[in-house]
Amino acid sequence: MVKPKSFIDKVEIVAYGGDGGNGCVSFRREKYVPRGDPNGGNGGNGGDVVLTADKNLYTLLDFYYNPQLKAERGENGKGKMMTGEDGKGIASKVPVGTLVKDPETGLVLCDLVRDRQSYIAAKGGKGGRGNASFKTSTEQAPRYAVKGKQGECVRLLLELKLVADAGLVGFPNAGKSTLISAISSARPKIADYPFTTLVPNLGVVYVNNDKSFTVADIPGLIKGAHKNAGLGHDFLRHIERTRIILYVINLKPFENRKPSDEYKILYEELKCHKKELIEKPFLVILNKLDLLENRKEIDEFIKETGVKKKSVIAVSAKDGINLEKLVEQAADLIENKNI
Ligand SMILES: Nc1nc2c(ncn2[C@@H]2O[C@H](COP(=O)(O)OP(=O)(O)OP(=O)(O)O)[C@@H](O)[C@H]2O)c(=O)[nH]1
Ligand SMILES: [Mg+2]
């Protein structure tokens, strides 16, 4: 499936550090001074290419369109002892959670998980020395200078793994996007058909005046997602770093599925993707409570799945039932209380 070009979470780039400027060969020229001193200046250093994590960015889209990052070369040195100016570096912003990898080996070179954390992707070359710098007591008039060093040229793979406190997982149409819209400022598309959400969304949930947490809504999962069914497992990596998992289960699922079937399938998909996912603290959110006539489905769910009652909360994302309680419970779980 071709991903829409708004959210890009994997991209290969080439970073070019600027070359160093050349050193200069020059001699002082003055009237009545037959052999002036050497005065060739040094070349300027080439600029670096630096990647910096920015918490306000969610996509690597810019790099998809501009995969080549070229820093400026240093200026050549000049006569009269003038050093060339350093080349301008490039400071590119990447979303927090970007892994910088070697595309050949997959080795992680840096994990930019903190806001404003930086990584020098390609170093600029050093400027060459001008002839003035070679003057010694035995060599008064050197006629040589050094060329600037070449800047580094590095191919890198940027891979984004979102950093959020809570990750929402659920079948398509379970109401994940409705929920994230109701509890946070995120406004993903909501519709009564599966696979409405095609890219992950991040939202900030305010618990009270001084407490907040972040939630990631990822596209719906179906059986076989870890083997790429539906929109595939590609998005599962965006919940690998969340502290807790929030399963969103439709109390009135499609077809002949029961809510407990949905949970069991999701659990298996997460386990097959990465075992660590099912070891995280979790809550099960039984959504669409407004459609129930009695609590029978809720009791059945607990019985059939063996999930502890205190880890299950029934809500209506659409009508706003129990959402405050859910937010508080999730915040406690994130803070390690009540596990
Ligand atoms: N009755 C009722 N309908 C709901 C509730 N929550 C969501 N819905 C409806 O369920 C449908 C799917 O909601 P979405 O929020 O788009 O579901 P989703 O889980 O994000 O779906 P995908 O993006 O396809 O994975 C929409 O028509 C919503 O209006 C709820 O609490 N009660
Ligand atoms: Mg959605």
Side-chain angles (χ1 to χ4, degrees), residues 243 267 274-282:
R243 296 221 223 147
Y267 182 90
K274 238 184 196 158
K275 220 173 120 252
E276 290 88 324
L277 288 180
I278 54 157
E279 286 157 5
K280 288 179 194 274
F282 70 94

mmCIF file of all heavy atoms in Angstrom, residues 243 267 274-282:
data_model
loop_
_atom_site.group_PDB
_atom_site.id
_atom_site.type_symbol
_atom_site.label_atom_id
_atom_site.label_comp_id
_atom_site.label_asym_id
_atom_site.label_seq_id
_atom_site.Cartn_x
_atom_site.Cartn_y
_atom_site.Cartn_z
ATOM 1 N N ARG A 243 4.894 4.160 27.042
ATOM 2 C CA ARG A 243 5.027 3.544 28.359
ATOM 3 C C ARG A 243 3.880 2.581 28.634
ATOM 4 O O ARG A 243 4.042 1.595 29.318
ATOM 5 C CB ARG A 243 5.002 4.638 29.420
ATOM 6 C CG ARG A 243 6.189 5.519 29.238
ATOM 7 C CD ARG A 243 6.786 5.883 30.552
ATOM 8 N NE ARG A 243 7.087 7.289 30.475
ATOM 9 C CZ ARG A 243 7.035 8.114 31.468
ATOM 10 N NH1 ARG A 243 6.685 7.683 32.654
ATOM 11 N NH2 ARG A 243 7.344 9.366 31.306
ATOM 12 N N TYR A 267 -3.878 -8.729 21.034
ATOM 13 C CA TYR A 267 -2.818 -9.183 21.940
ATOM 14 C C TYR A 267 -1.795 -10.032 21.178
ATOM 15 O O TYR A 267 -0.594 -9.840 21.289
ATOM 16 C CB TYR A 267 -3.473 -9.986 23.073
ATOM 17 C CG TYR A 267 -2.527 -10.486 24.131
ATOM 18 C CD1 TYR A 267 -2.244 -9.710 25.257
ATOM 19 C CD2 TYR A 267 -1.921 -11.742 24.020
ATOM 20 C CE1 TYR A 267 -1.379 -10.167 26.242
ATOM 21 C CE2 TYR A 267 -1.055 -12.205 24.988
ATOM 22 C CZ TYR A 267 -0.788 -11.422 26.101
ATOM 23 O OH TYR A 267 0.071 -11.876 27.065
ATOM 24 N N LYS A 274 6.441 -7.675 18.678
ATOM 25 C CA LYS A 274 7.536 -7.567 19.654
ATOM 26 C C LYS A 274 6.979 -7.933 21.020
ATOM 27 O O LYS A 274 6.037 -7.308 21.489
ATOM 28 C CB LYS A 274 8.069 -6.125 19.694
ATOM 29 C CG LYS A 274 9.515 -6.091 19.369
ATOM 30 C CD LYS A 274 10.186 -4.800 19.444
ATOM 31 C CE LYS A 274 11.493 -4.970 18.682
ATOM 32 N NZ LYS A 274 12.032 -3.747 18.218
ATOM 33 N N LYS A 275 7.601 -8.913 21.638
ATOM 34 C CA LYS A 275 7.078 -9.419 22.910
ATOM 35 C C LYS A 275 6.984 -8.323 23.978
ATOM 36 O O LYS A 275 6.101 -8.328 24.829
ATOM 37 C CB LYS A 275 7.965 -10.571 23.383
ATOM 38 C CG LYS A 275 7.178 -11.699 23.994
ATOM 39 C CD LYS A 275 8.045 -12.888 24.309
ATOM 40 C CE LYS A 275 8.009 -13.224 25.778
ATOM 41 N NZ LYS A 275 9.182 -12.925 26.541
ATOM 42 N N GLU A 276 7.917 -7.383 23.913
ATOM 43 C CA GLU A 276 7.946 -6.317 24.919
ATOM 44 C C GLU A 276 6.630 -5.538 24.970
ATOM 45 O O GLU A 276 6.272 -4.987 26.004
ATOM 46 C CB GLU A 276 9.079 -5.309 24.630
ATOM 47 C CG GLU A 276 10.463 -5.825 24.858
ATOM 48 C CD GLU A 276 11.035 -6.507 23.608
ATOM 49 O OE1 GLU A 276 10.276 -7.166 22.866
ATOM 50 O OE2 GLU A 276 12.247 -6.396 23.383
ATOM 51 N N LEU A 277 5.932 -5.526 23.840
ATOM 52 C CA LEU A 277 4.698 -4.729 23.793
ATOM 53 C C LEU A 277 3.643 -5.246 24.772
ATOM 54 O O LEU A 277 2.904 -4.484 25.366
ATOM 55 C CB LEU A 277 4.118 -4.711 22.378
ATOM 56 C CG LEU A 277 4.881 -3.896 21.348
ATOM 57 C CD1 LEU A 277 4.190 -3.971 19.999
ATOM 58 C CD2 LEU A 277 4.989 -2.454 21.781
ATOM 59 N N ILE A 278 3.589 -6.570 24.913
ATOM 60 C CA ILE A 278 2.553 -7.096 25.809
ATOM 61 C C ILE A 278 3.032 -7.137 27.258
ATOM 62 O O ILE A 278 2.290 -7.474 28.155
ATOM 63 C CB ILE A 278 2.068 -8.498 25.369
ATOM 64 C CG1 ILE A 278 3.267 -9.440 25.234
ATOM 65 C CG2 ILE A 278 1.265 -8.434 24.083
ATOM 66 C CD1 ILE A 278 2.879 -10.875 25.354
ATOM 67 N N GLU A 279 4.289 -6.775 27.449
ATOM 68 C CA GLU A 279 4.786 -6.703 28.833
ATOM 69 C C GLU A 279 4.581 -5.310 29.419
ATOM 70 O O GLU A 279 4.816 -5.074 30.591
ATOM 71 C CB GLU A 279 6.268 -7.095 28.874
ATOM 72 C CG GLU A 279 6.450 -8.599 28.702
ATOM 73 C CD GLU A 279 7.821 -8.993 28.200
ATOM 74 O OE1 GLU A 279 8.687 -8.100 28.073
ATOM 75 O OE2 GLU A 279 8.023 -10.189 27.922
ATOM 76 N N LYS A 280 4.150 -4.394 28.604
ATOM 77 C CA LYS A 280 3.931 -3.029 29.096
ATOM 78 C C LYS A 280 2.638 -2.980 29.907
ATOM 79 O O LYS A 280 1.711 -3.742 29.636
ATOM 80 C CB LYS A 280 3.760 -2.061 27.917
ATOM 81 C CG LYS A 280 5.033 -1.768 27.149
ATOM 82 C CD LYS A 280 4.691 -0.822 26.004
ATOM 83 C CE LYS A 280 5.812 -0.741 25.004
ATOM 84 N NZ LYS A 280 6.826 0.222 25.338
ATOM 85 N N PRO A 281 2.560 -2.048 30.863
ATOM 86 C CA PRO A 281 1.289 -1.855 31.559
ATOM 87 C C PRO A 281 0.206 -1.448 30.552
ATOM 88 O O PRO A 281 0.521 -0.788 29.558
ATOM 89 C CB PRO A 281 1.571 -0.686 32.503
ATOM 90 C CG PRO A 281 3.037 -0.487 32.505
ATOM 91 C CD PRO A 281 3.613 -1.131 31.303
ATOM 92 N N PHE A 282 -1.007 -1.872 30.800
ATOM 93 C CA PHE A 282 -2.068 -1.576 29.810
ATOM 94 C C PHE A 282 -3.420 -1.355 30.473
ATOM 95 O O PHE A 282 -3.636 -1.722 31.630
ATOM 96 C CB PHE A 282 -2.179 -2.734 28.808
ATOM 97 C CG PHE A 282 -2.753 -3.993 29.427
ATOM 98 C CD1 PHE A 282 -4.116 -4.264 29.350
ATOM 99 C CD2 PHE A 282 -1.937 -4.891 30.092
ATOM 100 C CE1 PHE A 282 -4.650 -5.413 29.935
ATOM 101 C CE2 PHE A 282 -2.463 -6.039 30.683
ATOM 102 C CZ PHE A 282 -3.812 -6.298 30.596
#
